[in-house]
Amino acid sequence: MDAAQRQRLEETTRYDPSEVEARIFAEWMEGGYFHPVAEGDPEENFSVAIPPPNVTGVLHMGHALNGSMQDALVRMNRMRGRNSLWILGTDHAGIATQAVVEKELRKDGKSRHDLGREAFVERVWEWKAEYGSRIVEQYKRLGASCDYERERFTLDEGYVKAVYRVFKQLFDKGYIYRDNYMVNWDPGSHSAISDLEVENREVEDSLYSIDYPVEDSDQVLTVATVRPETMLADTAVAVNPDDERYGDLVGKHVILPLVGRRIPVIADEHVDVEFGTGALKITPGHDPNDFEIGRKHGLQEIGVIGSDGRMTEEAGEFAGMTAAEAQKAVVEALRAEGRLRAEEPYVHSVPFSHRSGERIEPLISLQWFCRMDELARPAIEVVERDEVRITPSQWKRVYLDWMEEIRPWCISRQLWWGHRIPVWYCDACGETIAAEAAPERCGSCGGELRQEEDVLDTWFSSAIWPFATLGWPDDTPELRAFYPTSFLTTAREILFLWVARMIMTGLEFPGRVPFRDVYVHSVIQARDGRRMSKSLGTGIDPLQEIDVYGADALRFGLLAMSSTQDVRFSDAKVEQGRDLANKLWNASRLILLNAAEVEPAPRPVTVEDRWILSKLERTIASVTEKLETYDFAHAVQEAYSFFWRDLCDWYLEIVKPRLYDGEEEEVSATLLHALERVLALLHPTMPFVSEEIWSFHPAREGHLAVHAFPVADESQVDPAAEEDVEGGIGLTQRLRAWRDLAGVPAGATLPAVIDGVEPPGFVARLSRFEFDGVGSEPVASIGPVRVLDSDQLDAAAVAERLEKRREELRAEVERGERKLGNEGFVAKAPAEVVEEERGKLERYRNELAELS
RNA sequence: GGGCGCGUAGCUCAGUGGGAGAGCGCUCGCUUCACACGCGAGAGGUCGCUGGUUCGAAACCAGCCGUGCCCACCA
């Protein structure tokens, strides 16, 4: 430490993260610590793939929590000397990004169609160049030690190559196919979306009962529906085969009102006899259930609602109306014809687009699908066998249940921004060709080719993130050194969307699981317990928290908040982190400014020295174990408690006289040693403040980011010293409490004598007693301490205090007697438990006898 | 409809068979030579309810009440 550093340490009584963080981060980057060489193998190396945030994204609390956890483990392993890679990058986020740029265009009164596909995509790239690295910069603010030199993007050149290779191989295996099928049509993004991008919401609709006249009869068949406008596309009415009411109608026909179409009455088990009249109108073109039934019975599929959400020509007089307008018109027309039997309010759940928020319109359209059964099978097995461990374990069951029910994945999207599906059509001969690069001409007839217009679901490319970012399909040094990655932390909402798909593609392509451990973390809710969300306005901005409290404070706070269950965001925990950073700074000032010039080393002289070294090593062992098992909350709280309570409140107060003395080298060596280990232990969770303080430490040779992570030294654990010192601490606390309650002025020193075992030397000083004191009669007895009367004492308060203690003791004695008087307890409880109770009872009895 | 959670101090949460804990807040006292983002002391809880198992239950079991999330094609 030079003179300027010493001066800074002397003058700065408060740790200021805003002054420190950017400077420290720049030093790390300059050191190149986050950019490991691609050497060694995945067993000895450590690697993590960040869940790639959307390019359109800004850092939210979920990123911050996830980042804090991953960084803690990456930094810990880097400090252990492992070649550690945290791969970072962004996701092109098809729908979201296209929407942002389309919104920009709309401001100029334009749509993407005005520009055309090529110019529009060009425009999105420009947008990406300008704003796409925002979130990457925000990860730096958090202190995330990602390899910023290996940043990837799901649409960069190498990544596209990987996506096309995957598509081609799945196509060749017959897993990827094109089909006219019922999909979730999102009128908002004008595209099909997958089942996982749909969320169901409770909605209040009306349930209409409509009479369908039976052909050549006076009978009517009444059906119930919430979507009367789809009746225009009805191609059957179904009843349950066991429904006696309708047995004779099956095989007959009804006449569809308004349309006049003659449609069959069919029997199908799907129909619930209890619901409504037990007759179900079948609309294969606009309802997923009806679609299934329709295919089973070979029914005609009619579409009356188009992809623009308007009624098609098939809807006859209703053509051109929106679906909502058509609903009203159809209801009116039915009423006019006397076919509307009832209309009642009805609450049910309805699919909405997770992307645009609009109500899903189920439609039949020509889309690309990927069959999942074959891919899922091995991905189920590796989780069953715990080759991929999911923590907490209840998510394993959730994963397996979903995987076992997996259905084909609709992978095509009617967007322009994304991986354009690598399929070419020959209009001349009808050939369909999948290829990794654009073929010149049709292989069969030599005709012109035209590429598929649709792009792939963004999650199709995310699914290969762990190996595509490392250079797959090429055999790169990165892939050899860092795949499989070491672990993954994630929010449970993307367990299916992302995690399951990575496991499937990892097994199918590189042939190995992408990670061994999946830790599913809790969700941090808003302060009021609602979801944090932009649309609700309940989001809390992590960057603002960093501005106010510092990155270390936020990281500590989030880790302390995290748990296996969802928790509300706690400002108090972030403040606790800020206070800890400040306390670290100030305790370090005390040590660094007063320590003698010695080598840091454990050099215990007193029992207190042995005690703090023992607690230090215990804490290192425990915190390390908790970090390794993803128990971040307990890890940081234990580190906090050791540092604040044991080290600062007690040890530093105990050794101050020796430290100020400057004579005793041993205590300086021990303190510098403890400080070094505490800083290293805390570095993975609070990297900035620990690095900053380390820059003043005499043992510093390089950055703490690459300093050795402490390994607990069991030989320092000393239970006898712990018992002695903790006994002294307990006595000190009782003496202080007695003073306070006896009304003794804070600054006064009280006379007392010791009757019994001499307590550790610090007790007298820290409780402000003088044990060889001169005074008159003892007026109180606290452990071995006999407090002597003096004019500092308030006789009435002392008496009151004494009586209070007696009462406490009487209660304790009574409790002990009752417990030991219970024959069952004495007979059946373990002997050591009974012994312990006996000992306690005896002690309480003795103390009570002394006080009487 | 199925599944998974949660209900502990005023607040946010730990604790999962042997005497109720933390942080914040609150009260009282401290300009004690690292830190008032500090130091010392204290108050505060029939551990949702009802039964059961056990010598012993906040913890284990059953039921109930309240509450949150995920999955699911009853119109």
Side-chain angles (χ1 to χ4, degrees):
Chain A
M1 186 163 41
D2 59 30
Q5 276 186 305
R6 173 165 281 272
Q7 192 185 349
R8 230 181 91 217
L9 215 47
E10 275 167 357
E11 287 171 354
T12 314
T13 60
R14 194 179 276 203
Y15 173 68
D16 179 9
S18 65
E19 186 274 323
V20 170
E21 290 176 356
R23 170 165 50 80
I24 295 279
F25 197 86
E27 290 177 22
W28 289 331
M29 290 297 282
E30 201 176 320
Y33 308 132
F34 306 159
H35 183 63
V37 290
E39 285 172 1
D41 63 60
E43 286 300 326
E44 58 196 28
N45 294 341
F46 191 84
S47 64
V48 180
I50 209 166
N54 286 359
V55 266
T56 55
V58 288
L59 197 78
H60 63 231
M61 220 37 101
H63 297 126
L65 172 66
N66 201 234
S68 300
M69 291 175 167
Q70 294 187 39
D71 199 37
L73 293 179
V74 171
R75 281 181 184 270
M76 179 170 74
N77 281 286
R78 182 181 297 116
M79 290 171 79
R80 284 169 164 172
R82 296 175 75 180
N83 212 9
S84 299
L85 172 68
W86 186 5
I87 198 101
L88 157 106
T90 49
D91 192 300
H92 68 280
I95 295 174
T97 311
Q98 176 160 326
V100 166
V101 177
E102 285 191 285
K103 196 172 162 191
E104 272 194 354
L105 288 177
R106 262 200 305 280
K107 279 185 209 149
D108 306 334
K110 286 190 203 158
S111 80
R112 67 182 152 119
H113 300 285
D114 295 327
L115 276 88
R117 183 165 190 150
E118 212 169 308
F120 177 76
V121 168
E122 190 50 44
R123 183 74 181 257
V124 184
W125 277 107
E126 283 165 19
W127 182 91
K128 195 253 173 192
E130 194 168 347
Y131 302 105
S133 56
R134 240 180 344 184
I135 193 152
V136 172
E137 294 307 309
Q138 292 172 339
Y139 268 97
K140 293 181 182 171
R141 290 289 314 279
L142 189 67
S145 61
C146 307
D147 187 348
Y148 297 93
E149 292 170 52
R150 284 195 175 95
E151 182 181 336
R152 296 302 302 268
F153 181 53
T154 52
L155 269 177
D156 66 32
E157 207 180 317
Y159 208 103
V160 172
K161 183 175 158 188
V163 169
Y164 278 19
R165 170 70 59 88
V166 165
F167 184 94
K168 171 85 164 88
Q169 288 190 11
L170 292 175
F171 181 90
D172 289 345
K173 281 189 130 175
Y175 295 173
I176 287 180
Y177 59 94
R178 201 178 189 209
D179 191 14
N180 249 310
Y181 207 82
M182 168 90 23
V183 294
N184 305 298
W185 183 262
D186 175 9
S189 55
H190 258 85
S191 173
I193 59 177
S194 74
D195 295 342
L196 287 175
E197 293 165 299
V198 170
E199 62 173 333
N200 291 301
R201 292 188 211 156
E202 293 262 288
V203 163
E204 187 169 331
D205 274 330
S206 293
L207 183 67
Y208 299 92
S209 297
I210 306 166
D211 289 340
Y212 287 7
V214 177
E215 188 184 35
D216 303 326
S217 146
D218 299 336
Q219 270 183 286
V220 294
L221 203 46
T222 306
V223 300
T225 180
V226 289
R227 300 206 60 194
E229 69 278 21
T230 65
M231 69 162 291
L232 303 171
D234 283 3
T235 53
V237 173
V239 297
N240 191 289
D242 300 329
D243 194 335
E244 290 167 7
R245 291 171 295 180
Y246 304 115
D248 57 332
L249 283 179
V250 174
K252 295 193 172 168
H253 288 78
V254 295
I255 305 300
L256 194 58
L258 308 184
V259 181
R261 184 161 53 238
R262 182 172 172 270
I263 60 177
V265 178
I266 61 172
D268 193 285
E269 275 108 25
H270 169 80
V271 181
D272 180 357
V273 179
E274 307 288 318
F275 191 93
T277 59
L280 173 65
K281 73 192 245 332
I282 302 297
T283 321
H286 295 292
D287 183 280
N289 291 315
D290 297 2
F291 177 78
E292 298 284 343
I293 294 172
R295 289 256 158 136
K296 200 158 83 185
H297 293 267
L299 299 176
Q300 196 189 350
E301 290 161 4
I302 298 174
V304 291
I305 303 170
S307 60
D308 56 358
R310 288 179 178 273
M311 305 306 282
T312 64
E313 291 307 315
E314 289 282 348
E317 59 179 299
F318 304 99
M321 294 181 182
T322 65
E325 288 163 357
Q327 179 170 336
K328 275 192 197 133
V330 166
V331 168
E332 279 318 306
L334 288 168
R335 203 190 307 276
E337 289 194 6
R339 297 295 179 196
L340 192 68
R341 178 169 291 251
E343 175 182 351
E344 53 201 312
Y346 186 68
V347 176
H348 64 148
S349 76
V350 172
F352 282 81
S353 164
H354 201 75
R355 307 289 154 213
S356 69
E358 295 210 18
R359 193 162 166 162
I360 291 298
E361 192 61 69
L363 292 177
I364 294 172
S365 67
L366 189 57
Q367 301 285 348
W368 285 92
F369 293 87
C370 183
R371 213 165 67 211
M372 303 305 289
D373 306 25
E374 293 90 341
L375 293 170
R377 205 174 306 121
I380 287 170
E381 283 166 16
V382 293
V383 169
E384 273 174 346
R385 287 200 303 263
D386 287 331
E387 275 170 53
V388 174
R389 289 177 294 267
I390 301 181
T391 314
S393 57
Q394 68 257 33
W395 299 107
K396 175 178 174 178
R397 192 70 256 158
V398 174
Y399 169 94
L400 290 173
D401 286 348
W402 185 75
M403 289 291 274
E404 274 151 17
E405 296 291 313
I406 199 160
R407 303 206 305 180
W409 172 15
C410 175
I411 55 172
S412 48
R413 297 291 178 275
Q414 289 65 56
L415 306 174
W416 285 350
W417 176 242
H419 299 97
R420 190 160 170 180
I421 291 178
V423 163
W424 285 263
Y425 305 108
C426 174
D427 289 326
C429 71
E431 189 75 53
T432 296
I433 304 157
E436 289 179 47
E440 297 261 316
R441 308 196 81 73
C442 174
S444 304
C445 71
E448 292 272 331
L449 293 172
R450 114 192 112 74
Q451 190 177 357
E452 166 66 55
E453 296 286 330
D454 289 352
V455 300
L456 289 164
D457 180 3
T458 298
W459 294 101
F460 189 90
S461 50
S462 317
I464 62 173
W465 181 254
F467 50 92
T469 49
L470 296 174
W472 188 92
D474 297 334
D475 180 24
T476 61
E478 280 80 7
L479 198 62
R480 286 196 298 272
F482 298 114
Y483 188 89
T485 63
S486 305
F487 82 107
L488 180 90
T489 62
T490 182
R492 57 177 164 266
E493 61 186 18
I494 54 175
L495 193 60
F496 308 142
L497 220 40
W498 191 49
V499 180
R501 288 166 178 170
M502 284 191 287
I503 296 175
M504 289 188 269
T505 60
L507 289 167
E508 177 71 17
F509 297 100
R512 280 190 290 169
V513 295
F515 28 71
R516 279 65 176 267
D517 267 297
V518 176
Y519 177 70
V520 181
H521 67 245
S522 53
V523 174
I524 309 281
Q525 303 165 330
R527 290 179 253 259
D528 59 5
R530 285 190 293 171
R531 244 188 123 64
M532 266 198 213
S533 99
K534 221 202 269 181
S535 56
L536 288 173
T538 48
I540 299 168
D541 180 2
L543 295 165
Q544 224 167 37
E545 297 291 313
I546 291 172
D547 287 342
V548 176
Y549 299 102
D552 292 323
L554 178 65
R555 293 169 60 125
F556 175 94
L558 287 172
L559 293 179
M561 269 176 246
S562 74
S563 102
T564 50
Q565 66 163 314
D566 294 353
V567 286
R568 298 175 184 208
F569 184 82
S570 162
D571 298 284
K573 288 284 194 292
V574 179
E575 281 168 19
Q576 193 182 352
R578 175 201 57 187
D579 295 350
L580 176 58
N582 189 243
K583 190 78 171 176
L584 274 166
W585 174 255
N586 279 295
S588 302
R589 286 175 64 224
L590 173 70
I591 296 168
L592 295 168
L593 289 170
N594 293 286
E597 285 187 28
V598 289
E599 284 290 307
R603 289 170 66 183
V605 176
T606 64
V607 67
E608 294 89 0
D609 296 339
R610 296 201 305 278
W611 167 73
I612 199 67
L613 289 168
S614 180
K615 298 291 276 188
L616 172 65
E617 298 308 318
R618 269 189 205 276
T619 303
I620 289 168
S622 178
V623 169
T624 304
E625 196 258 338
K626 292 194 161 62
L627 286 175
E628 284 170 341
T629 54
Y630 312 110
D631 186 1
F632 299 99
H634 290 108
V636 296
Q637 308 213 66
E638 266 179 39
Y640 173 93
S641 169
F642 165 76
F643 172 72
W644 202 303
R645 304 269 86 98
D646 296 334
L647 187 64
C648 292
D649 287 354
W650 293 102
Y651 189 68
L652 288 181
E653 293 305 327
I654 288 168
V655 302
K656 265 181 189 174
R658 291 160 69 195
L659 184 63
Y660 288 139
D661 200 353
E663 302 274 309
E664 202 181 344
E665 292 189 350
E666 287 86 351
V667 76
S668 295
T670 300
L671 280 170
L672 290 170
H673 165 79
L675 180 60
E676 177 172 357
R677 287 173 83 71
V678 165
L679 291 175
L681 184 67
L682 279 169
H683 186 260
T685 46
M686 304 183 82
F688 290 107
V689 67
S690 54
E691 186 74 79
E692 172 68 359
I693 294 169
W694 180 241
S695 71
F696 296 92
H697 197 286
R700 181 182 193 267
E701 278 171 359
H703 283 93
L704 190 59
V706 287
H707 184 280
F709 192 74
V711 177
D713 176 2
E714 301 289 334
S715 73
Q716 298 283 353
V717 173
D718 186 339
E722 289 182 9
E723 197 183 330
D724 287 353
V725 173
E726 275 149 29
I729 287 172
L731 181 59
T732 305
Q733 288 173 321
R734 284 173 65 193
L735 291 168
R736 283 169 172 170
W738 184 88
R739 297 172 56 107
D740 221 52
L741 292 170
V744 179
T749 300
L750 296 181
V753 292
I754 299 298
D755 178 14
V757 184
E758 192 78 21
F762 64 84
V763 174
R765 183 169 52 86
L766 295 185
S767 58
R768 293 187 187 235
F769 272 85
E770 200 161 350
F771 288 156
D772 52 357
V774 188
S776 45
E777 289 302 292
V779 294
S781 176
I782 299 123
V785 178
R786 305 284 169 267
V787 184
L788 302 178
D789 199 7
S790 70
D791 47 14
Q792 311 278 11
L793 297 181
D794 173 344
V798 169
E800 199 182 317
R801 173 71 195 148
L802 181 64
E803 186 45 39
K804 195 182 165 203
R805 181 64 186 160
R806 280 201 203 96
E807 262 169 51
E808 283 169 9
L809 288 168
R810 280 188 212 108
E812 292 292 355
V813 168
E814 198 201 329
R815 186 195 146 274
E817 284 173 345
R818 199 183 326 119
K819 194 151 193 179
L820 287 162
N822 180 343
E823 282 172 33
F825 175 72
V826 179
K828 295 191 180 175
E832 62 270 22
V833 175
V834 178
E835 249 339 281
E836 200 185 321
E837 280 302 322
R838 289 213 172 99
K840 277 190 287 191
L841 178 60
E842 196 188 329
R843 264 176 276 131
Y844 290 129
R845 275 181 176 151
N846 289 343
E847 191 183 343
L848 188 59
E850 273 175 34
L851 296 184
S852 300

